[in-house]
Amino acid sequence: MQQLKKPLSEGLQIIIVGCGKVGVTLVEQLSKEGHDITIIDNDAAKVQEIANLYDVMGLAGNGASYSVQMEAGIEKADLIIAVTGSDELNLLCCTVAKQVGDCSAIARVRTPDYSKEAGYLRQKLGLTMIINPELEASREIARILYLPTALEVNSFAHGQAEIVKFRIPEGNTLDGMTIADLGRDITNDILICAIERQNEVYIPSGAFILREGDVISFVAPRRYIRTFLKKIGFKTKQVKDTTIIGGGKSSYYLAKQLLMMGIKVKIIEKDRERCEELSILLPDAIIINGDGTDHELLKEEGIDYTESFIPLTGIDEENIMLSLYARQVSQTKVVTKINRNTFKEVLNGLNLDSVIYPRYITSEAIIAYVRARKNSMNSNIETLYHMFDNRAEAIEFRVDEKSAVTGVALKDLPLKKDLLVSSIYRNGTVLIPSGLDTIEVGDTVMVVTTHSGFDDIKDILK
């Protein structure tokens, strides 16, 4: 076994088992936030590379082994996160850790059979969280197809409010309008909380002038979102049908959700045996046995007139090429799932429509939990979203006791620059706050900022 130098840190002691895409994303994010991280993986070369790159401790070995966990310091660990490629190994890692140490445990579990039993497994094995990237990604895609003019839709306030991202098209009524004008002339029911323009991210004031091509993120109670988009000239009806390329776990989870929403589903999958499985699992979907990268087959199966097109082949390059082809030959809504993020700048220049990164969905849920664990417990992080390639964050805090931020009008709080209190959830109602509103004990507060690492509501103050 190979052991590397352990860094000093004031954060939590975290063991991450598995150095795949999600594991590396977690190491990258959590090491930035000052946690004491140990990684475990069977691949010694990978462990060495990641440990050197992020200056963390590394062990080569089986993460479910008692002796390996002891060497990694499980007895003193605050948290173990198991994100290997095997659900069974992840559950076993957490079970061993719970027997030996007094730590929280998070397991990535992707198999549909286990996912149905997530609540039971969590309770019986004493896990803090079971996370399923494919299921979470499919939920995000379903939210976008419910509102197809959006590039991205994220839920918070127990599903009562959403952050919606869209691009201002040519000739749109918002072009040239200030944010103050929008509030006066169109609606006060939404709040524009972040804007990306030419690769710069802004947390806007009322004087900010909107321009064609800007990518806008706004916060609103769910019931007002369609009304606002309709007012500014967007179509707001959910899609009627979708074509999914690839029949893996992601496709199964997505098809299941879309069928429940009343959306017709067609899946094109190469493997005949998998097609037969899917036709039993999804009797209401149309399952086509064929090569989804064959242009002739796509034309035959109606790519020209399908309302949405989702390539889920498991190969990023295929998903990207299929997305570009679909956008070229039709007006369909395209959502692209990408597992790696090595060429993000190139992808941003391709104008791919909506892009989903399952590894970030997974890491955000875990980082929100880690920050909540770290803080002083008078406020807790409910949700966390990274926006615009991690250049801004939307954080939802639960306020559990009085502090310097409570009972004071927002206009009188010494708030940090580049920060917006974008919504307050109180007694089942979402408020879009004005300067006269206050934060009170019991509220859940959404903050959008270009600062990173907030783990307490008081971090919003200068």
Side-chain angles (χ1 to χ4, degrees), residues 157-342:
H158 305 291
Q160 299 297 305
E162 283 170 343
I163 298 180
V164 178
K165 186 160 113 177
F166 70 97
R167 188 185 301 275
I168 298 180
E170 190 180 342
N172 187 266
T173 182
L174 295 183
D175 186 14
M177 190 181 268
T178 67
I179 286 177
D181 292 340
L182 186 149
R184 191 184 61 243
D185 301 340
I186 296 179
T187 182
N188 264 321
D189 296 327
I190 69 119
L191 182 76
I192 292 180
C193 56
I195 295 165
E196 184 184 39
R197 177 183 294 168
Q198 293 171 346
N199 287 330
E200 288 288 321
V201 176
Y202 303 91
I203 306 294
S205 67
F208 191 99
I209 300 169
L210 301 168
R211 296 282 178 226
E212 171 199 320
D214 286 353
V215 177
I216 307 286
S217 278
F218 73 89
V219 168
R222 201 163 184 223
R223 64 186 182 279
Y224 293 133
I225 290 169
R226 288 190 165 180
T227 313
F228 166 63
L229 289 171
K230 211 177 275 183
K231 275 183 181 172
I232 60 168
F234 281 85
K235 289 179 185 168
T236 57
K237 286 198 172 104
Q238 78 171 31
V239 301
K240 291 191 185 77
D241 57 62
T242 193
T243 300
I244 300 171
I245 308 299
K249 292 187 188 88
S250 299
S251 303
Y252 165 74
Y253 287 126
L254 178 60
K256 210 165 163 48
Q257 290 194 65
L258 298 183
L259 290 165
M260 281 164 62
M261 288 163 66
I263 295 170
K264 291 176 189 161
V265 173
K266 181 183 287 181
I267 298 175
I268 301 175
E269 163 60 39
K270 266 186 205 170
D271 186 298
R272 185 165 189 82
E273 209 175 302
R274 180 59 177 162
C275 286
E276 284 166 6
E277 280 174 28
L278 286 170
S279 62
I280 295 163
L281 290 167
L282 301 164
D284 296 330
I286 296 168
I287 314 294
I288 307 288
N289 180 213
D291 181 358
T293 62
D294 179 343
H295 292 185
E296 288 306 314
L297 177 65
L298 290 175
K299 280 204 174 300
E300 211 176 288
E301 292 304 331
I303 191 170
D304 298 356
Y305 52 81
T306 185
E307 290 200 359
S308 57
F309 182 80
I310 324 286
L312 297 174
T313 68
I315 300 166
D316 288 353
E317 292 79 3
E318 271 189 14
N319 291 344
I320 292 163
M321 294 309 289
L322 283 166
S323 297
L324 293 171
Y325 175 69
R327 281 177 69 73
Q328 191 179 7
V329 300
S330 72
Q331 295 297 306
T332 184
K333 172 70 188 179
V334 180
V335 184
T336 314
K337 179 183 148 199
I338 296 177
N339 291 308
R340 289 173 301 173
N341 67 338
T342 28

Side-chain angles (χ1 to χ4, degrees), residues 137-174:
S138 72
R139 283 179 180 149
E140 195 160 315
I141 295 170
R143 282 198 295 270
I144 291 168
L145 298 187
Y146 175 75
L147 198 68
T149 43
L151 296 173
E152 212 172 279
V153 182
N154 286 307
S155 262
F156 62 99
H158 305 291
Q160 299 297 305
E162 283 170 343
I163 298 180
V164 178
K165 186 160 113 177
F166 70 97
R167 188 185 301 275
I168 298 180
E170 190 180 342
N172 187 266
T173 182
L174 295 183

